[in-house]
Amino acid sequence: QVQLKESGPGLVQPSQTLSLTCTVSGFSLTSNSVHWVRQPPGKGLEWVGAIWSGGSTDYNSALKSRLSISRDTSKSQVFLKMNSLQTEDTAIYFCTKQLGFSAGWGQGTLVTVSS
Amino acid sequence: DIQMTQSLASLSASLEEIVTITCQASQDIGNWLAWYQQKPGKSPQLLIHSATSLADGIPSRFSGSRSGTQYSLKISRLQVEDTGIYYCLQRYSNPYTFGAGTKLELK
């Protein structure tokens, strides 16, 4: 069945770079998009960006200058890198398959930006 | 950016009651609208896609509708397990945007 799992550091210092990995199974990255969505503690959902089945990417314009999404199809992994982190980037980061069309979310990983 | 407005931040209803949650888009988004349910400490779960299509495995008491730029999620007979926060999502244009959420509780 479809599974996604996020991994990465739980704590990042301000101004540093966040690197997250989403490892998927049960579907192909070359046939499905993967999106990143984040949720500050106790708040709503924010779309971060996506990598499409063909490998192209789209980013939330508010984050675009700091964000990079890539993938390794041989390992069924999608990567998120966000630089110049600030405290407002503290959130649970989810990866999800075909946002808005298909079921399939990771359990999320909490990233705390703090010194 | 397209704004998705869920006018009700919270809603309280009784078991078996009919519940309607609405979402207003700031511009035409066609049927590029999805509904999600999120329970505490869990990932969101897709309920409705393409404005009116029931996602796989979702009970038929959930339904979605559209009138212009207003979208509605209807629960025909509220059950205990339906409590949670409901979000709408527009996938019409970048950046994709969620509504602020409507928290549904049992009365």
Side-chain angles (χ1 to χ4, degrees):
Chain A
Q1 75 274 27
V2 169
Q3 291 187 327
L4 302 92
K5 186 172 184 179
E6 306 86 352
S7 58
L11 180 66
V12 179
Q13 294 201 338
S15 80
Q16 298 302 300
T17 296
L18 170 66
S19 294
L20 295 177
T21 299
C22 174
T23 302
V24 311
S25 61
F27 67 96
S28 169
L29 293 178
T30 57
S31 302
N32 296 275
S33 60
V34 171
H35 297 245
W36 290 93
V37 173
R38 69 180 183 178
Q39 184 170 39
K43 297 190 177 180
L45 300 163
E46 180 184 30
W47 179 74
V48 173
I51 187 162
W52 302 97
S53 56
S56 61
T57 53
D58 272 320
Y59 303 128
N60 188 318
S61 50
L63 304 170
K64 188 172 184 176
S65 62
R66 302 193 289 132
L67 189 59
S68 173
I69 296 175
S70 60
R71 70 184 185 183
D72 183 335
T73 56
S74 67
K75 294 183 178 179
S76 294
Q77 291 180 323
V78 175
F79 308 105
L80 178 149
K81 286 192 190 309
M82 185 182 300
N83 59 32
S84 304
L85 251 63
Q86 301 302 319
T87 55
E88 52 266 32
D89 295 312
T90 293
I92 299 170
Y93 286 75
F94 298 97
C95 57
T96 174
K97 169 181 176 276
Q98 290 190 300
L99 179 68
F101 288 103
S102 173
W105 287 63
Q107 83 273 20
T109 186
L110 175 62
V111 174
T112 302
V113 182
S114 175
S115 54
Chain B
D1 297 1
I2 296 175
Q3 307 303 316
M4 304 300 293
T5 302
Q6 292 182 245
S7 53
L8 275 180
S10 64
L11 174 58
S12 182
S14 302
L15 274 177
E16 303 287 323
E17 190 175 334
I18 297 173
V19 172
T20 301
I21 297 169
T22 61
C23 182
Q24 178 75 45
S26 61
Q27 65 184 74
D28 180 27
I29 60 169
N31 286 332
W32 295 87
L33 188 285
W35 287 99
Y36 284 90
Q37 177 198 63
Q38 187 177 31
K39 292 185 175 287
K42 300 293 187 182
S43 308
Q45 180 181 24
L46 180 68
L47 302 173
I48 299 288
H49 66 86
S50 307
T52 61
S53 297
L54 195 65
D56 290 345
I58 301 302
S60 58
R61 64 180 180 274
F62 290 92
S63 63
S65 63
R66 171 194 173 191
S67 176
T69 56
Q70 178 155 301
Y71 299 81
S72 299
L73 173 72
K74 178 180 170 182
I75 308 172
S76 61
R77 292 170 59 186
L78 187 66
Q79 303 296 303
V80 172
E81 60 267 29
D82 298 336
T83 58
I85 301 177
Y86 290 80
Y87 295 95
C88 60
L89 162 74
Q90 70 82 12
R91 253 205 65 173
Y92 179 76
S93 70
N94 183 344
Y96 304 143
T97 45
F98 291 88
T102 297
K103 186 175 184 178
L104 177 59
E105 297 174 317
L106 274 176
K107 194 178 290 182

